[in-house]
Amino acid sequence: MNEQSSDITAARPPRTRRRIWYFAAFAVLVAVGVVAAVYAGQRPLGEELATGTASGWYAAKDVGTTFTDGLNIITVTPQARGPLRLISARPLMDDGKTLRVVGVLARVIPRMLPPNSTSGGLQQSPGFPPTLPDAAGGVPVEGLVVQPPEQGEDLWIEIQIGYEVMAPGRSTRHGVELVYEYEGTERKAVIPSYLAICAPATVACDPEYDE
């Protein structure tokens, strides 16, 4: 009995190793399938857009303040071969309770600047939608179609994000996720725009990124 038990025990490891190998191979195939499905549904940005270098700003504001942040710019490059249809724009916020997002708009600069506008850039404006005249003209992000630049034309997409200061403390943003459709494929870009808002207006507020 002891010899028979020893023979049976010695015969088991190869089958166990085969089962482990089959399981590992199956797990790899599943993982590859999941990754392939993700990339088939949504790809990172291509040469049609350029995010540029990181930028941002910071300030201390009183509770109850509503403002628009417009320092969220992405370039439409000359390599764009056709229109881009915007789907969504989402600020990547931390879990702080100081800021609440009240809305998001988009402009194509300079094509959607208001008449006689003297500026194509916006850091912040009181209110949302923004009350500064040069900041007017934004529309809802979803469905906005951006035609490629003409020869020699510089073209940007500006995302305007409205915030309300809700409570004392600090809230930060680490970028803006832009989802869009290009050449029949849904794609995603992250604009490296940073924001730190502290409340109330009398407190010191440090930047969220290295200047």
Side-chain angles (χ1 to χ4, degrees):
M1 286 295 293
N2 291 339
E3 291 180 358
Q4 184 177 4
S5 298
S6 177
D7 292 341
I8 294 174
T9 302
R12 285 176 180 172
R15 291 199 297 268
T16 302
R17 286 196 294 270
R18 282 196 295 270
R19 286 198 296 269
I20 293 173
W21 187 88
Y22 292 149
F23 177 78
F26 177 76
V28 169
L29 289 173
V30 169
V32 170
V34 170
V35 171
V38 169
Y39 277 93
Q42 188 177 86
R43 297 179 182 176
L45 81 164
E47 61 180 8
E48 68 277 359
L49 291 178
T51 59
T53 58
S55 61
W57 60 282
Y58 58 101
K61 297 179 179 291
D62 284 324
V63 174
T65 302
T66 301
F67 67 97
T68 300
D69 163 42
L71 200 60
N72 313 294
I73 303 292
I74 191 166
T75 301
V76 185
T77 72
Q79 284 71 44
R81 296 179 295 272
L84 294 81
R85 184 179 65 85
L86 305 190
I87 297 173
S88 65
R90 179 175 66 94
L92 304 177
M93 307 295 299
D94 68 0
D95 57 359
K97 306 302 181 184
T98 297
L99 285 183
R100 179 176 71 93
V101 178
V102 297
V104 181
L105 299 173
R107 296 192 303 178
V108 180
I109 296 177
R111 295 176 182 172
M112 295 175 64
L113 290 177
N116 303 318
S117 175
T118 59
S119 173
L122 164 70
Q123 176 173 301
Q124 63 171 318
S125 169
F128 182 81
T131 58
L132 290 179
D134 283 345
V139 299
V141 174
E142 183 177 357
L144 175 61
V145 175
V146 183
Q147 297 294 338
E150 299 177 358
Q151 186 174 3
E153 182 185 22
D154 294 325
L155 200 65
W156 300 273
I157 301 170
E158 175 189 81
I159 305 299
Q160 300 179 344
I161 304 172
Y163 292 101
E164 182 180 1
V165 183
M166 300 295 294
R170 174 184 172 94
S171 284
T172 62
R173 184 191 68 224
H174 302 272
V176 178
E177 178 189 86
L178 178 66
V179 179
Y180 63 100
E181 183 182 22
Y182 176 68
E183 294 187 330
T185 302
E186 186 174 301
R187 305 190 179 202
K188 180 173 69 175
V190 175
I191 304 172
S193 57
Y194 294 79
L195 177 69
I197 297 296
C198 306
T202 54
V203 302
C205 197
D206 295 325
E208 185 60 21
Y209 67 103
D210 294 331
E211 292 184 306

